[in-house]
Amino acid sequence: MTTAAEIMHPGAQWIPATETLDRAAELMGRLGVGALPVSDANERLCGIITDRDIVVKCVAKGHDPAKVTCGELCEGTPRWIAADADVSDVLDEMESHQIKRLPVIENKRLVGMISEADLAQHLPEAQLAEFVEKVYARR
């Protein structure tokens, strides 16, 4: 059984919901990532912010990223997976919600993220193709 912990990118970092988007963009650049999990005051997952969110939902609408917080852009119910979950559960979660990044949680703490790139490195081609078809399918 392959687990989420075995395929995740370790060392993911939270950004507080109260932090501004310019700071989120700076952190993404420093870490070389395109998404950050967003945490509430209790370090609980309250969403994910992506570089695309910053551009499309803030900059393109004429808002100042130095004045908009990460929490203001988070939408919907945040999805996550337990570190000991089987890779089939990871795929089910990502496919059923059509998401491309999934935080990995262990003992209520963020321990990593699973992205499409992580899946591409660990899945057989046929399984990866099925994932891509389901995640990118128009609903």
Side-chain angles (χ1 to χ4, degrees), residues 47-93:
I48 292 181
I49 189 80
T50 67
D51 48 7
R52 186 174 194 283
D53 290 335
I54 295 169
V55 171
V56 173
K57 296 177 182 177
C58 179
V59 176
K61 293 186 176 181
H63 302 295
D64 182 354
K67 295 181 180 172
V68 179
T69 67
C70 294
E72 290 176 75
L73 256 61
C74 291
E75 298 175 354
T77 303
R79 310 305 307 176
W80 57 273
I81 197 83
D84 62 354
D86 185 76
V87 72
S88 64
D89 296 326
V90 170
L91 291 172
D92 287 344
E93 186 70 16

Side-chain angles (χ1 to χ4, degrees), residues 7-46:
I7 66 169
M8 73 179 187
H9 181 80
Q13 292 186 23
W14 297 110
I15 190 152
T18 55
E19 196 62 77
T20 56
L21 298 179
D22 62 333
R23 300 283 301 179
E26 178 185 328
L27 182 57
M28 286 181 200
R30 197 165 2 112
L31 297 174
V33 300
L36 293 170
V38 179
S39 68
D40 65 15
N42 298 315
E43 288 197 352
R44 303 286 298 226
L45 181 67
C46 65

Side-chain angles (χ1 to χ4, degrees), residues 94-138:
M94 294 176 82
E95 290 169 358
S96 65
H97 298 285
Q98 290 188 302
I99 55 177
K100 301 169 188 110
R101 298 170 181 99
L102 189 63
V104 180
I105 307 292
E106 185 174 50
N107 298 322
K108 299 181 181 179
R109 307 295 290 177
L110 177 70
V111 293
M113 287 278 280
I114 297 174
S115 69
E116 294 168 293
D118 298 313
L119 296 177
Q121 291 177 351
H122 294 92
L123 296 180
E125 260 185 58
Q127 199 173 18
L128 183 61
E130 183 179 332
F131 166 79
V132 169
E133 183 178 323
K134 289 180 179 176
V135 168
Y136 287 95
R138 295 205 183 248

